[in-house]
Structures are given as structure tokens and as C-alpha cells.
Amino acid sequence: KFRASSAQVSGDTDPYQLDLSYSLDPMQYGSLPLQAIGTSNIPNKDLKPLLSTDYEIGLEMGFVHDRIGFDVDYYNKNIRNDIVTTAVSNTTGYASAVFNVGKLADNGIEALLRATPVKVKNFSWDLTVTFSTLNNRVISLGSGTKGANIILVRSKSGNASVQLEEGKRYGGIYGYTYKRDSLGRKIYNSQGLPEYNATQTLIGNSLYNKMMGFSNTFNYKNFSLYVFLDGKFGGDIYSETDATTYDNGKNKATLIGREDGLIADGVGEDGKPNTVLIRGYNSPAGPGASVNDYYKQIKQISEQFVYDASFVKLREISLSYNFNLALLHRIGFTNASVSVVARNLLTVYKN
């Protein structure tokens, strides 16, 4: 079977985004009630509905009496005037603002392979493999941004954020990075502390761009065993928890150098190998910073705490028993089964 489709749909957002709304304040001026702005979001009178245009083509085929088959699909989606909410400074009196993004583009492939390798009188084995890709890009942010990125959300510390940047994937993670020389070596100052760039740059992406699933169903007489694994790849995570534990000395990595100090691997500002001793509790006095200050400095460097979020998990196992149909018909039932289900049993792979 060959299929093709095209669609165009519009979308909106929550109500009361165009104008300010007001609410009664519990405080009073004498006997007079007071009012306050009742929204934490900056209104946008020029907000437009988003417009999504989708194209899709696919092919489905089956072989060997449909015991082997596949289904592959290519999709392309373009969104104009997507509606996003961005964080703003608390000094504005608001927490966020809502506006349109110029143009976003998504495309990818979705594929499914199914097979029945074994099928005999009382036993059968069915398997299904799925795989999909997602390639998304921010084509244009629109004229209202004046070339600046859109910040969707910030970490509590402010050291990392999820931003939209023209020409980049949607959902980019931005943060502070180590200063490095032309050979990629970290640069340390005269106190032995790592230096970092003052401007947040792209250090990862919060969205997965590859996903897979693998399921097996084993049927024996009235019993059925289902096993499902799934995996996601290409996404990253920034751990504010790890950054905080570096700051307060609760991370296992901060044990290094705590007693006798350490000399970090890298170069000084003059390009020569770093020789400054970071002072531990038992270290002699010197020009180096304390080990406490060393890990507090690293806490500011977002790059240190970005991890690959890829995984493969044993997502579900279920065992079912289907009651005998002849017995069910006698008591007025057409079908009945009982199942034992276990989910999220094991992480098979993580990086």
C-alpha cells in the first residue's frame, strides 16, 4: 500500500493572553478593596494563531502470507507563528511572556518491521521493531526578537537554560563552558581555578532525535508472554542537582584533593602546564585557592554537568491467560483474560 497525505491546521493557546486581567487583593486601603494584576504573564495584543502544514508519504508491504511486513513513513511539518512562552526577568514584575516564533521545521522517518518467525499448532512468536528519527530546526524567530535567542526556561541557578536559536535544533541547552586553548586544554588562573566563558553557548539538546522499540509476543496455548524494550537517543540533560552537590561538597567527586590538595590538568594563562596547588585541609600555605573554592568555581560551569540522556529500558513484561472460549460462552461471555504486568523493570543501557 502506498499512501500520501497533506494537512493544514491552526492552533491557539490558553485564554486571557491578549490583555491584562485583574483580581481582588486581600489587602485593603481602609475600607476600600484593592486590585492587583492577576496574571504573571506579559500579555501580547499582536499574538497570532499558529499554522501547521504537514506532508506525509508512506509505504506498507507484506510478504509470505503476511508473516513478514514493513511500514515506512516520511513526514515533513512546517509551523509558522508557533506560540511559545519565555522566561523574563523578575524585575519586570512578571514571570514570563508569550509571543510567536517565525518558523519551525520538523521532518523525519518512522519505520516498522513486523514478523512471525515461528507459527505452529500451539505456539507462535510475533516480533515488532520500530524506529523513528526527528530532525527539527528553528528556521526563523521572527522580527520581534531582533536577532536574540528566545529563552524558554532557566535552571534555578541561572547557569543553564533552554533556548531557541535560528538555524539550530529546537530545545538547545545553553550554559557556561570552560575556557580552553587551541588544543582543547582547560585554562586555569593564577590561583589554580578553572576559567570559563562569560556568555552562555550551546552545550547540548534536551530533545531526543532517535527512538526505537522492540517487542516480542510469545503465545503458547492459552498463555501469552509480552516483552517490550524501548530506547531513546540524541538527548542531553543538565543536572542542577550535581552542580549543587559540587557547591556544598556532597558530591563524591569533591573528595578528590580534600585532604592533600590537587593540581588540575590543564594550562595556565601563559599557556604553560598548570602547576598551582589547590589547597586541601592538610596542604601548606600557598597562592592556590582552597579546595572548597575550587569546586564552587566548577559549580558555575554548566558544561561539567551535561550528560548524555540516551537509554534502553526493559519497559514492560506481561503474562496473560485467556480463558477457554467454550466455557465463557456458556456463562454469556465472549472473551476474558487475566494478566500480570510489570513495567520499568530494568535499564539495559545508559551513557
Side-chain angles (χ1 to χ4, degrees):
K1 300 177 182 178
F2 176 80
R3 62 182 180 273
S5 65
S6 176
Q8 188 173 76
V9 296
S10 184
D12 57 8
T13 183
D14 296 331
Y16 313 117
Q17 301 293 319
L18 305 182
D19 292 293
L20 288 175
S21 62
Y22 298 88
S23 60
L24 290 174
D25 195 298
M27 301 292 293
Q28 289 187 332
Y29 182 73
S31 60
L32 299 176
L34 297 177
Q35 286 188 322
I37 295 175
T39 177
S40 62
N41 193 59
I42 298 176
N44 185 349
K45 290 181 177 294
D46 299 321
L47 200 63
K48 302 175 183 177
L50 68 86
L51 185 65
S52 175
T53 304
D54 302 65
Y55 305 95
E56 181 178 320
I57 57 172
L59 178 65
E60 180 181 359
M61 299 188 74
F63 309 92
V64 193
H65 303 290
D66 210 34
R67 287 182 57 176
I68 300 175
F70 71 85
D71 189 337
V72 63
D73 181 270
Y74 171 80
Y75 66 90
N76 187 298
K77 176 189 292 186
N78 290 284
I79 302 175
R80 292 186 180 276
N81 298 320
D82 191 23
I83 301 172
V84 299
T85 301
T86 180
V88 297
S89 172
N90 291 334
T91 59
T92 63
Y94 297 89
S96 59
V98 60
F99 54 92
N100 296 109
V101 174
K103 184 178 180 181
L104 305 176
D106 293 347
N107 63 75
I109 295 173
E110 297 175 341
L112 178 146
L113 174 66
R114 54 182 173 78
T116 304
V118 179
K119 189 174 184 179
V120 293
K121 182 179 180 181
N122 290 320
F123 178 79
S124 67
W125 169 29
D126 300 315
L127 66 85
T128 302
V129 180
T130 60
F131 179 78
S132 63
T133 64
L134 171 63
N135 178 31
N136 55 9
R137 285 289 182 273
V138 179
I139 305 301
S140 170
L141 291 178
S143 57
T145 62
K146 298 180 180 179
N149 292 359
I150 296 176
I151 300 176
L152 298 181
V153 65
R154 284 191 178 94
S155 65
K156 185 176 181 180
S157 66
N159 291 336
S161 56
V162 176
Q163 302 184 20
L164 302 184
E165 180 180 358
E166 287 188 0
K168 303 294 185 181
R169 286 177 60 197
Y170 189 99
I173 301 174
Y174 288 71
Y176 301 113
T177 58
Y178 286 100
K179 281 188 176 180
R180 301 176 184 268
D181 65 7
S182 59
L183 299 178
R185 298 175 296 184
K186 296 175 184 175
I187 298 175
Y188 295 84
N189 64 18
S190 59
Q191 293 183 294
L193 298 176
E195 297 185 351
Y196 61 94
N197 297 295
T199 302
Q200 291 190 358
T201 54
L202 183 65
I203 55 176
N205 194 279
S206 58
L207 300 182
Y208 297 104
N209 59 9
K210 297 180 183 66
M211 288 160 280
M212 57 80 67
F214 180 57
S215 67
N216 290 271
T217 303
F218 304 93
N219 298 298
Y220 176 70
K221 294 185 177 179
N222 288 10
F223 290 93
S224 179
L225 176 66
Y226 173 76
V227 182
F228 175 60
L229 292 93
D230 79 316
K232 297 182 179 181
F233 309 91
D236 303 296
I237 185 173
Y238 166 76
S239 176
E240 182 89 338
T241 300
D242 271 9
T244 302
T245 56
Y246 262 67
D247 185 42
N248 58 28
K250 299 295 179 62
N251 195 294
K252 184 178 179 180
T254 63
L255 292 173
I256 300 173
R258 186 172 296 186
E259 301 296 331
D260 301 318
L262 63 92
I263 298 176
D265 185 26
V267 297
E269 294 171 328
D270 57 3
K272 297 179 181 179
N274 176 47
T275 58
V276 180
L277 175 67
I278 295 295
R279 293 178 287 108
Y281 299 146
N282 301 325
S283 300
S290 69
V291 69
N292 186 44
D293 290 339
Y294 175 76
Y295 287 113
K296 283 182 177 294
Q297 178 84 340
I298 292 179
K299 183 253 185 181
Q300 306 297 325
I301 307 174
S302 325
E303 174 191 351
Q304 179 73 31
F305 308 104
V306 173
Y307 306 101
D308 182 2
S310 301
F311 68 86
V312 176
K313 291 184 178 181
L314 178 56
R315 187 66 75 180
E316 180 178 328
I317 295 180
S318 66
L319 179 63
S320 302
Y321 177 79
N322 298 298
F323 289 97
N324 186 276
L325 293 179
L327 175 62
L328 292 174
H329 290 161
R330 292 175 189 171
I331 57 177
F333 288 85
T334 57
N335 193 11
S337 65
V338 60
S339 300
V340 178
V341 181
R343 295 189 174 94
N344 298 318
L345 296 166
L346 177 67
T347 300
V348 179
Y349 163 82
K350 65 177 180 179
N351 187 12

